[in-house]
Amino acid sequence: MIRCVLVACLLLVSSAVADDTAVINASLKVDIPGAGGSGVAIAPHLIVTNSHVVDHRIRNDVTVTDVHGREYGAVAVSLDKDADVALLYVQHRAGPYVRIAPRRRPLVGLTLRPFGWGPKRRLATGRGVVVSEWSRNRVQVLDCAVHSEPGDSGGGLFDDQDQLVALNWGGDGLTNYSASTPAEYVRQVAEAWVVEAMPQDRWQEYQCLGGRCGSGPSEPAGSARGGAPPKWPVAPPSPACSQAP
């Protein structure tokens, strides 16, 4: 079933709490002139957000702000419009960041915690269960039973190990669910760019992208070890269904 869902509506639910420190510190506000959304730090200098948050453009006028109010200039360096994923490079911010969860099936029934900056531009979180999977532009979409609002686009949904499972991009006003892209698409975009743009002696910095830093929650977010990441193909962009700006 293919549906068009209102873009830029995601998750403001309740105030973020202290035991989510790792995710809180990796959840960033993303702004371009005249618009904004949310993002997630996934590696040294790398932040993911939605392609529509940066107006589907490679650009160098992006600002990211952490929960402590620190601002950093960023460059949108890679896009996948179909999956609504954009990769930002932030030269002067190296962490903290979270791991991308290993690919898993099924996702329906999994409880996730969404984080986003919302219309008031304050970080907030919630909790909801993945209730369904469907496809948009041949890309998998997850519906999560949690309310969403404008400004949360690009925020992450996390499992109980603080790993990024999905990236929010929209919401359904009829069901009051949020819609998100599974993290495997985030991984594809990020690893492809790392291999293309980074010298090989820096690949090891980005091993946590694939969840290869450890097998369990005892492995701290932000650690890095292992071999070079594989080169992932990135689907070429194609026209999406009608979306709100």
Side-chain angles (χ1 to χ4, degrees), residues 220-242:
S223 63
R225 65 171 184 263
K231 184 173 180 180
W232 289 78
V234 179
S238 65
C241 65
S242 178

Side-chain angles (χ1 to χ4, degrees), residues 1-230:
M1 176 175 61
I2 298 177
R3 300 183 288 178
C4 292
V5 180
L6 179 63
V7 166
C9 292
L10 290 173
L11 58 137
L12 189 59
V13 181
S14 63
S15 297
V17 293
D19 60 356
D20 288 321
T21 301
V23 174
I24 290 170
N25 287 329
S27 297
L28 299 154
K29 181 168 56 174
V30 177
D31 291 292
I32 63 171
S38 303
V40 183
I42 58 169
H45 312 292
L46 297 185
I47 294 166
V48 290
T49 185
N50 288 150
S51 178
H52 79 261
V53 167
V54 294
D55 197 26
H56 302 295
R57 292 196 288 126
I58 301 298
R59 56 193 303 155
N60 61 6
D61 58 350
V62 184
T63 300
V64 297
T65 307
D66 66 20
V67 72
H68 305 290
R70 293 183 288 250
E71 293 187 357
Y72 305 87
V75 180
V77 293
S78 185
L79 304 171
D80 182 340
K81 293 183 181 180
D82 283 351
D84 206 354
V85 173
L87 183 68
L88 310 179
Y89 181 79
V90 188
Q91 181 177 1
H92 299 295
R93 183 189 183 279
Y97 54 92
V98 294
R99 293 192 302 250
I100 297 175
R103 182 171 177 170
R104 68 182 85 181
R105 289 290 187 275
L107 290 171
V108 172
L110 187 66
T111 298
L112 300 176
R113 296 168 297 140
F115 282 74
W117 285 84
K120 296 183 179 179
R121 312 308 282 147
R122 286 186 259 181
L123 184 63
T125 186
R127 194 172 186 86
V129 175
V130 178
V131 294
S132 65
E133 301 180 45
W134 49 285
S135 294
R136 183 185 71 151
N137 301 323
R138 301 176 299 281
V139 173
Q140 182 188 8
V141 176
L142 304 180
D143 278 343
C144 189
V146 63
H147 179 59
S148 59
E149 293 192 12
D152 293 316
S153 289
L157 288 91
F158 300 88
D159 62 17
D160 59 7
Q161 297 178 23
D162 292 342
Q163 297 179 122
L164 179 67
V165 175
L167 194 69
N168 290 337
W169 59 259
D172 190 327
L174 296 177
T175 63
N176 210 27
Y177 292 166
S178 66
S180 61
T181 298
E184 64 194 74
Y185 296 95
V186 172
R187 183 185 299 113
Q188 289 173 11
V189 172
E191 289 190 339
W193 184 83
V194 166
V195 172
E196 291 288 346
M198 284 289 176
Q200 189 169 350
D201 61 4
R202 292 191 61 187
W203 285 359
Q204 188 169 340
E205 296 177 42
Y206 301 92
Q207 279 307 291
C208 290
L209 289 171
R212 291 182 290 270
C213 297
S215 58
S218 60
E219 184 75 18
S223 63
R225 65 171 184 263

